[in-house]
Amino acid sequence: MRPSSPSPKPGGDEAVRERIIGLGSGSARKSYYPQLKEKIRDLEAKQLELMETVRTLEERESELERLVDEKEALLKEVHHRVKNNFQIVGSLLNLGLGIASSSAEARAFAKTKRRIDVMAMVYGRLLATESFAELELCSLARSVVNALFYEAELREVALAYDLSCVDLRLDVERAIPFALILAEAAGNALEHAYPEGRGELAISLGFARDAPGSVRLAVEDDGPGPRSGGLPRSDSSLGLTLIDALAAQLKAAWRYERRAAGPGLRFVLELRP
Amino acid sequence: MEDGFVALRKFVAPEIIFGQGAMARCAEYAATFGASRPLIVSDEGVAAAGWAGRVESQLGDAGVDFTRFYDVSPNPRDAEVMAGAELFLRERCDMIIAVGGGSPMDCAKGIGAVATNGGHILDFEGVDNVPEPMPPLLCVPTTAGTSADLSQFAIILDLARRTKIAIISKGMVPDISLCDPETTVTMDAELSAETGMDALTHAFEAYASNASSPLTDLHALEATRLIAGSLALAVERPGDLAARSRMMMGSLMAGLAFSNASLGVVHAMAHAMGGLLDLPHGLCNALLLEHAVAFNCPAAPERYAALGEALLGRPLRGAGADEVADAVRGGLAALRRRIGLGERVELRPLPRHALSELAAMALADPCVVTNPRRPEAAEIEALYAAVLPVA
């Protein structure tokens, strides 16, 4: 047991007495209210802060949306102008066609015009679908071949499609070479495979079963085949040179082969994954 | 003495429900305070008497989860308060329900102060040192004496120093007191006598206090009348609910009086003595009161005359200070003997220097500042010598 020293009474007995009977400063009965008020104030400040953050984010989002809209409008405008330019070039070529001095010259104009039209078509489809990044391949293939087919006026040639294009899309950089290659192959068939004006042109497009991930395009006619007997090669015409160059752009392989069932030629393009 | 009707005064009290069935309101108040997990603070004696269980089942019936803290000894220790506060925080309690006498209720107040303010319970010693209000505190007193359910006082035993510290703060006034006289019928004669004398001492010291006021006087005198008329009956016939109810009302009024007028030298001395010798608080008061009256009477004879009239039921005003002192002292001694309390503390004799240590502690106690007569250390030692055996 150790004696405790008397604790000093600050301010003396009178001050202690005042505080015990509740008259000292700060000796009021305490309340939760100030603490609650402070908590509520804190929460309200936090809520305001959060609302401000949300407002800022909303503003930023609508600004981004506005920018995206603006970009889309600009892109659309650019594509529109490109398409118009192609159409102007096409019209110029049309004029040239009208004043060509020889049939060979006229054919050259016509072929060039056809290529320009294909490129204009790609941009036309981009504008129509409003998807400026990618194009769906099957409908593009159908449009390209249909245009050539109706221009060729081969009423007794049947046109058959076997297109299976779930999720088959190409960006515009690659859609143009693809469309041009298809137009060259189909144009060649329509020009050379039906001397009698009869037969069938079969277009197939889809994932290759024997090469996983590869997309295979085939253009097959049932015509008499090459006159000289050899299969067309990359150096045998401007069209084939073009196909070769465009396929290289796509890092794709192409070939002509004989049709399996009877006479006729088959053009095959393989786009690797 | 200043004019109590002119002087600036304050009166602080909890919400009080008094009467049979009061304790059945526990669950209702838990709901009022939005409590989802009250901490029930009680002790083994009160639990054995069935009162803590009664509160538990009322909360259970109302679907209120609760946590128990029953590890409270008579004269609650600082370590018990800290353990209770730790439990309160760990169990995420949000209200305190104290069931019992002064020990569980003082412990509950300490738990509340630490739970809200952090730190150690001994840091809050003194007046107005509890900065933040404690969680809602509901008290169900089961003795008619302590009035911890009403007062701004909490007395905690500092075990290292073997002294009781007083925490006095308006923030220690409980929110609700449910005074149900039925809870006091399980007290034995000794506890009834000691707690009853504690209540009477509250009334006496509040009335004689130099900080008394008309509001506290009213309660102090009526408390004296009620206790004088019913304490012996309550001790002799424990099941007498009428006597128990009067005792509880007397204790309640004495509590309202002393919580606001504070106390005097008896409590200052009882805190020191109870802390050093681990004696029942009521017994210390019961033995000291009559000697303190004799000491104080010359400083406030009219006050003691009024107390004597309330105690004895006969006129004393106009009598001389000595006559008043003798009459009141005699009345208190008669009551003390009738309820079976001895003349002195039965202990091995204490060394002489123990009295001066006790006197120093009593003089440092905040209760001494409102005593009507400022005591010297030697005078306090003499008062101690009247009740303590000295070698």
Side-chain angles (χ1 to χ4, degrees):
Chain A
M1 282 197 304
R2 127 186 115 72
S4 74
S5 56
S7 54
K9 298 195 186 92
D13 284 2
E14 189 51 31
V16 174
R17 179 182 172 277
E18 288 288 290
R19 282 186 287 145
I20 291 174
I21 65 174
L23 299 174
S25 67
S27 71
R29 190 167 177 182
K30 303 289 192 301
S31 153
Y32 294 106
Y33 194 59
Q35 287 174 309
L36 281 178
K37 244 168 71 180
E38 204 173 307
K39 278 244 160 71
I40 290 169
R41 244 198 315 268
D42 282 355
L43 286 173
E44 278 175 347
K46 272 196 189 119
Q47 189 193 16
L48 277 180
E49 218 171 275
L50 280 175
M51 279 166 60
E52 190 53 42
T53 307
V54 168
R55 212 188 345 267
T56 311
L57 286 175
E58 278 174 351
E59 274 172 14
R60 239 178 253 174
E61 191 186 334
S62 62
E63 172 67 14
L64 282 175
E65 271 170 12
R66 198 187 58 74
L67 278 174
V68 167
D69 286 350
E70 198 179 283
K71 283 261 157 67
E72 266 184 21
L74 278 173
L75 204 56
K76 198 169 172 178
E77 179 61 23
V78 167
H79 286 315
H80 197 76
R81 286 191 189 178
V82 170
K83 190 198 75 170
N84 284 354
N85 287 346
F86 279 127
Q87 279 173 341
I88 290 168
V89 173
S91 303
L92 289 174
L93 290 170
N94 242 356
L95 286 175
L97 194 61
I99 57 165
S101 53
S102 67
S103 62
E105 204 175 318
R107 210 163 44 244
F109 269 115
K111 280 189 177 173
T112 304
K113 178 178 181 298
R114 196 173 70 205
R115 288 165 189 145
I116 297 295
D117 285 349
V118 167
M119 288 195 281
M121 182 184 292
V122 171
Y123 280 94
R125 292 200 66 75
L126 275 178
L127 286 171
T129 56
E130 299 226 327
S131 135
F132 302 118
E134 288 187 325
L135 272 181
E136 201 273 307
L137 275 195
C138 283
S139 56
L140 175 65
R142 201 183 282 269
S143 303
V144 168
V145 174
N146 278 354
L148 293 172
F149 186 73
Y150 292 116
E151 196 186 299
E153 294 187 352
L154 293 163
R155 290 198 173 81
E156 290 181 52
V157 171
L159 181 56
Y161 287 108
D162 175 14
L163 310 175
S164 53
C165 291
V166 181
D167 283 337
L168 221 50
R169 292 172 173 280
L170 280 184
D171 58 58
V172 68
E173 286 294 306
R174 308 211 293 157
I176 288 177
F178 173 83
L180 285 170
I181 290 171
L182 172 60
E184 289 304 322
N188 279 348
L190 290 169
E191 193 177 334
H192 302 295
Y194 310 105
E196 310 290 326
R198 282 197 302 274
E200 189 185 75
L201 177 64
I203 312 292
S204 70
L205 178 61
F207 285 106
R209 271 181 223 129
D210 50 355
S214 288
V215 172
R216 183 172 292 159
L217 167 73
V219 179
E220 189 173 298
D221 66 61
D222 57 353
R227 255 165 285 159
S228 52
L231 289 169
R233 291 201 320 267
S234 62
D235 57 354
S236 51
S237 72
L238 174 61
L240 294 178
T241 308
L242 203 56
I243 286 177
D244 201 48
L246 293 168
Q249 263 185 47
L250 290 177
K251 299 192 171 60
W254 70 277
R255 65 182 182 272
Y256 267 105
E257 59 192 26
R258 291 184 201 286
R259 194 163 73 106
L265 267 182
R266 178 176 151 91
F267 169 82
V268 179
L269 176 76
E270 271 186 11
L271 292 163
R272 289 181 203 98
Chain B
M1 191 168 289
E2 60 198 324
D3 183 345
F5 290 90
V6 173
L8 193 61
R9 277 293 177 265
K10 184 194 288 196
F11 193 87
V12 185
E15 184 174 337
I16 301 163
I17 296 188
F18 183 95
Q20 259 188 289
M23 75 181 298
R25 304 295 178 100
C26 266
E28 184 186 321
Y29 276 102
T32 301
F33 281 93
S36 53
R37 183 174 277 279
L39 179 73
I40 304 180
V41 180
S42 191
D43 62 33
E44 293 306 333
V46 172
W51 303 120
R54 181 91 70 98
V55 169
E56 284 184 11
S57 61
Q58 279 159 9
L59 292 176
D61 290 348
V64 180
D65 285 338
F66 55 83
T67 299
R68 276 189 203 103
F69 183 70
Y70 293 177
D71 300 326
V72 183
S73 20
N75 296 329
R77 279 108 219 254
D78 49 357
E80 290 165 352
V81 171
M82 295 312 290
E86 207 266 325
L87 182 66
F88 181 94
L89 294 172
R90 176 156 37 89
E91 295 291 317
R92 297 177 172 279
C93 295
D94 45 11
M95 181 180 185
I96 302 175
I97 297 179
V99 188
S103 300
M105 290 195 284
D106 278 351
C107 189
K109 289 176 171 182
I111 289 170
V114 173
T116 308
N117 291 276
H120 195 275
I121 183 63
L122 299 177
D123 299 343
F124 302 114
E125 179 178 5
V127 188
D128 291 340
N129 286 332
V130 182
E132 297 298 335
M134 61 177 150
L137 171 62
L138 181 152
C139 292
V140 179
T142 62
T143 63
T146 159
S147 294
D149 53 314
L150 307 159
S151 77
Q152 53 166 327
F153 291 66
I155 308 296
I156 304 294
L157 181 60
D158 176 350
L159 211 50
R161 288 197 295 154
R162 285 208 73 87
T163 185
K164 285 183 168 182
I165 62 147
I167 298 167
I168 307 172
S169 180
K170 307 305 160 290
M172 300 301 263
V173 178
D175 296 283
I176 309 290
S177 175
L178 302 180
C179 299
D180 196 330
E182 200 193 336
T183 60
T184 62
V185 302
T186 49
M187 280 194 293
D188 60 23
E190 193 181 2
L191 188 58
S192 301
E194 287 169 0
T195 54
M197 284 304 285
D198 187 18
L200 186 63
T201 309
H202 291 153
F204 261 65
E205 295 214 278
Y207 192 76
S209 161
N210 62 27
S212 63
S213 72
L215 267 177
T216 61
D217 289 349
L218 184 72
H219 290 99
L221 285 182
E222 184 60 18
T224 304
R225 258 178 232 117
L226 284 168
I227 295 166
S230 53
L231 176 54
L233 272 178
V235 172
E236 286 154 15
R237 299 205 300 255
D240 184 338
L241 202 58
R244 293 292 196 184
S245 296
R246 279 171 175 71
M247 273 309 296
M248 193 161 227
M249 182 56 88
S251 169
L252 161 62
M253 289 179 164
L256 292 174
F258 94 79
S259 181
N260 291 284
S262 195
L263 295 159
V265 71
V266 179
H267 270 81
M269 290 175 67
H271 290 155
M273 180 174 155
L276 189 69
L277 306 171
D278 205 12
L279 295 169
H281 175 63
L283 177 65
C284 298
N285 284 333
L287 298 182
L288 287 167
L289 181 59
E290 57 206 72
H291 303 290
V293 167
F295 173 74
N296 280 336
C297 200
E302 319 78 27
R303 293 256 130 192
Y304 283 101
L307 282 168
E309 287 179 0
L311 178 75
L312 303 165
R314 62 180 167 87
L316 274 177
R317 261 166 269 211
D322 289 348
E323 190 187 339
V324 169
D326 286 346
V328 175
R329 192 176 179 172
L332 289 172
L335 178 59
R336 173 174 53 73
R337 288 181 195 122
R338 187 174 163 193
I339 60 177
L341 298 178
E343 307 291 324
R344 300 166 68 85
V345 178
E346 306 295 336
L347 278 177
R348 275 184 303 153
L350 298 170
R352 188 91 218 162
H353 69 82
L355 292 197
S356 53
E357 286 163 16
L358 283 170
M361 282 192 269
L363 278 173
D365 192 285
C367 290
V368 84
V369 305
T370 43
N371 195 62
R373 181 175 169 192
R374 172 78 205 172
E376 300 299 327
E379 289 163 338
I380 290 184
E381 283 181 42
L383 288 173
Y384 273 130
V387 302
L388 288 171
V390 183

